[in-house]
Amino acid sequence: MKRAIPVLVLSVAGLIPLWRYTPSQDTGSSSATEAAAPASTPSVSSSGGTTTTVVAGSKLDTEKGPVQVEVTFSGDRIASVRMLQQPNHPQTTAAVPKLIEETLQAQSADIDTVSGATITSDGYKESLQAAIDARG
């Protein structure tokens, strides 16, 4: 009886992580993206000789959730990037500021993937590239 109680407690403690585990929803697709909506039409405004263009990138449905960015161009430069849609996931929340910072430094979609948020990073880069392409 003395051994039964610790064995039972440790067994239950070992099963709790299994009960709380929620696997990602695999759709059988080997690609990180399932569907990509086309990028939006650029909206252009001018003030003081500088043209500001805002373009939404493609919406991508990834395994973790939808990803879509909005890029603001000031002249020929990327002035800011904003996430319109992102997965509700801790790694995504941590990765987005890094992705935006790298985008502003590189001024392109040729940026590194954030470790631990590969699927979100790939969706971000694809949506970003679609917005850059839509701007022309």
Side-chain angles (χ1 to χ4, degrees):
M1 184 68 180
K2 289 182 182 180
R3 289 185 181 175
I5 292 174
V7 168
L8 179 64
V9 170
L10 291 173
S11 296
V12 170
L15 290 174
I16 289 174
L18 290 174
W19 289 328
R20 296 194 57 177
Y21 176 74
T22 56
S24 64
Q25 296 180 4
D26 186 16
T27 60
S29 173
S30 62
S31 171
T33 59
E34 293 174 4
S40 71
T41 307
S43 105
V44 179
S45 65
S46 280
S47 64
T50 303
T51 303
T52 303
T53 308
V54 179
V55 184
S58 300
K59 177 186 169 213
L60 293 114
D61 294 321
T62 68
E63 294 173 27
K64 300 291 183 184
V67 176
Q68 185 178 22
V69 301
E70 179 182 78
V71 183
T72 302
F73 296 92
S74 180
D76 290 336
R77 296 191 50 80
I78 297 174
S80 68
V81 180
R82 184 171 69 104
M83 293 294 287
L84 296 178
Q85 294 186 1
Q86 71 184 44
N88 185 15
H89 202 269
Q91 284 93 349
T92 297
T93 304
V96 167
K98 295 175 187 174
L99 292 167
I100 292 172
E101 182 181 336
E102 282 197 41
T103 301
L104 295 176
Q105 288 177 358
Q107 290 294 305
S108 73
D110 187 21
I111 59 174
D112 291 332
T113 299
V114 175
S115 179
T118 305
I119 293 170
T120 301
S121 296
D122 291 344
Y124 173 91
K125 291 192 288 188
E126 192 168 333
S127 182
L128 177 64
Q129 186 62 55
I132 292 169
D133 292 345
R135 181 179 176 272

